[in-house]
C-alpha cells in the first residue's frame, strides 16, 4: 500500500537536553491528523526511546515516520557503534549507559523493551562499528 | 478531579498551570524515565524528583495530566519555559513522594 505522509528528522547527538524534540513533534502532527490517542501514545513513546538511544549510544542519527492508511512505520538509523548482542540488549534492565546518563533518569535498560511493548512489529539490524537500524510498525485499527 | 482542584486541595505550588481543567485519573511515582514511559497512563499524576528538561518530553509523550515535583525540587528557568511552551502542567511541593502519593490517593 502506498505511503500517505512522511516526516523526516535529523536527531542531534550532541545536545542531550533537546533530545525528544522529533518525537514530541510527531505526536503533534499525528494529533493534528486525528489519529486515535492510544496509537499516538504508542508511536511517540516508541520513537522517543529510539531517539534517546541514538543520542546516548550512537551520537545521533535520522528518524523517518511513514504514515500509511493502516499502519505507521518508524525507522531510526544511526552510524554509531552498533549492538553486539541484540538478544542481550533486548533484555529488561540491560544497559551500558554511564553514570552521567543514569543521573538524568535514563539508562534503566527498559528502552528497547518499551519499543517492543508499544509496537506491533520491531526489527533491529545492527553491525558493530557500522551502525544500527531499527524499524517499528504500529497498526492502525480499521 | 481537575489539576487546579488538586493544586488547591493540597496547597501545591503551580510551577506551570497550562491546562488547569485537565482531569486526573490515577497516578504513577518514579524517576527512571523508561519506567515512567512503560507504566504511566494517560491522565495520571506523575510524582517525581527528576528535574531535567527530559521530564517535559516524557510528560508530553505519556500524556500524563500533570507532573508533581516532590521534596522541594526546583526547575531551571529554561525547563519552566519549555513546560509553558508545550503546555505541560507542573506542580511542586516540599513533601516526599510517599506523602504526596498517599494524600493524592485519598483525594482522587
Ligand atoms: N542505537 C544504538 N546504538 C548502539 N547501542 C544501542 C543502541 N540502542 C540500544 N543500544 C544498546 O542496547 C542497550 C539497551 O538499550 P535500552 O533498552 O534502550 O536501555 P538503555 O538505553 O537504558 O541503556 C543500551 O544500553 C546499548 O548498549
Ligand atoms: Mg534506551
Amino acid at each position: 500500500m502506498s505511503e500517505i505522509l512522511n516526516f523526516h528528522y535529523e536527531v542531534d547527538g550532541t545536545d542531550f537536553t533537546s533530545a525528544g524534540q522529533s518525537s514530541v513533534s510527531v505526536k503533534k502532527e499525528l494529533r493534528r491528523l486525528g489519529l486515535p490517542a492510544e496509537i499516538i501514545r504508542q508511536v511517540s513513546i516508541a520513537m522517543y526511546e529510539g531517539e534517546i538511544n541514538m543520542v546516548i549510544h550512537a551520537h545521533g542519527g535520522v528518524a523517518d515516520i511513514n504514515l500509511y492508511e493502516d499502519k505507521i512505520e518508524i525507522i531510526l538509523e544511526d552510524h554509531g557503534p552498533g549492538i553486539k548482542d541484540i538478544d542481550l540488549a533486548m533484555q529488561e534492565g540491560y544497559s551500558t549507559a554511564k553514570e552521567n546518563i543514569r543521573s538524568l533518569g535514563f539508562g534503566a535498560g527498559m528502552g528497547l523493551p518499551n519499543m517492543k511493548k508499544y509496537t506491533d512489529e520491531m526489527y533491529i539490524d545492527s553491525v558493530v562499528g557500522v551502525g544500527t537500524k531499527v524499524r517499528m510498525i504500529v497498526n492502525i485499527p480499521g | 478531579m481537575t489539576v487546579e482542584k488538586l493544586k488547591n486541595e493540597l496547597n501545591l505550588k503551580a510551577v506551570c498551570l497550562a491546562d488547569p481543567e485537565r482531569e486526573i485519573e490515577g497516578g504513577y511515582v518514579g524517576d527512571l524515565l523508561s519506567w515512567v514511559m512503560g507504566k504511566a497512563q494517560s491522565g495520571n499524576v506523575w510524582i517525581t524528583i527528576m528535574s531535567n528538561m527530559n521530564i517535559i518530553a516524557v510528560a508530553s509523550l505519556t500524556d500524563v495530566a500533570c507532573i508533581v515535583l516532590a521534596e522541594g525540587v526546583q526547575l531551571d528557568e529554561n525547563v519552566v519555559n519549555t513546560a509553558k511552551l508545550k503546555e505541560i502542567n507542573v506542580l511542586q511541593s516540599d513533601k516526599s513522594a510517599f506523602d504526596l502519593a498517599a494524600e493524592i490517593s485519598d483525594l482522587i
Side-chain angles (χ1 to χ4, degrees):
Chain A
M1 192 174 294
S2 71
E3 164 192 321
I4 306 173
L5 266 176
N6 164 273
F7 305 107
H8 178 82
Y9 300 91
E10 308 278 330
V11 178
D12 184 350
T14 58
D15 184 7
F16 200 77
T17 55
S18 75
Q21 274 179 356
S22 321
S23 314
V24 173
S25 154
V26 160
K27 183 194 162 187
K28 213 157 115 190
E29 299 285 357
L30 296 181
R31 191 180 266 179
R32 209 195 320 262
L33 291 165
L35 277 121
E38 195 46 43
I39 297 293
I40 298 178
R41 220 176 92 92
Q42 286 174 250
V43 168
S44 55
I45 292 177
M47 181 177 168
Y48 181 71
E49 290 282 14
E51 196 183 342
I52 291 293
N53 278 353
M54 291 201 297
V55 176
I56 64 183
H57 304 298
H59 336 286
V62 293
D64 277 282
I65 303 295
N66 298 316
L67 177 67
Y68 299 87
E69 219 163 285
D70 57 345
K71 64 180 185 232
I72 299 169
E73 181 183 46
I74 309 156
I75 301 172
L76 301 149
E77 198 163 8
D78 66 61
H79 300 290
I83 303 172
K84 195 162 66 187
D85 185 338
I86 293 175
D87 288 339
L88 184 62
M90 285 300 302
Q91 283 180 19
E92 295 190 359
Y94 176 82
S95 175
T96 58
K98 301 285 182 296
E99 185 47 40
N100 62 323
I101 297 297
R102 290 176 192 262
S103 70
L104 291 168
F106 292 109
M110 294 296 287
L112 292 174
N114 273 350
M115 288 153 74
K116 186 153 182 72
K117 170 181 171 178
Y118 282 123
T119 58
D120 294 302
E121 294 172 48
M122 173 169 158
Y123 309 95
I124 304 178
D125 281 319
S126 191
V127 180
V128 172
V130 178
T132 300
K133 182 171 175 177
V134 180
R135 189 171 150 252
M136 295 176 280
I137 290 170
V138 174
N139 295 325
I140 303 171
Chain B
M1 160 157 319
T2 66
V3 172
E4 178 154 50
K5 183 116 192 290
L6 178 81
K7 171 189 93 70
N8 294 337
E9 293 278 338
L10 295 185
N11 214 356
L12 306 173
K13 185 181 156 209
V15 178
C16 175
L17 201 53
D19 185 6
E21 295 307 313
R22 179 77 195 267
E23 280 291 328
I24 292 165
E25 278 169 69
Y28 187 78
V29 185
D31 306 314
L32 299 179
L33 301 179
S34 285
W35 278 86
V36 178
M37 283 186 287
K39 302 279 179 179
Q41 305 290 316
S42 173
N44 277 181
V45 172
W46 172 28
I47 304 171
T48 186
I49 54 166
M50 272 293 156
S51 59
N52 66 76
M53 184 64 89
N54 302 293
I55 64 171
I56 306 302
V58 169
S60 168
L61 299 174
T62 51
D63 194 36
V64 293
C66 68
I67 300 173
V68 178
L69 300 167
E71 310 279 9
V73 161
Q74 310 271 345
L75 296 187
D76 286 347
E77 197 187 325
N78 61 334
V79 180
V80 177
N81 290 337
T82 305
K84 286 179 184 155
L85 200 71
K86 303 288 179 197
E87 298 178 3
I88 301 298
N89 290 320
V90 185
L91 306 174
Q92 191 239 37
S93 165
D94 287 336
K95 290 179 180 150
S96 72
F98 178 85
D99 287 343
L100 282 167
E103 289 180 18
I104 293 170
S105 157
D106 276 347
L107 259 180
I108 61 178

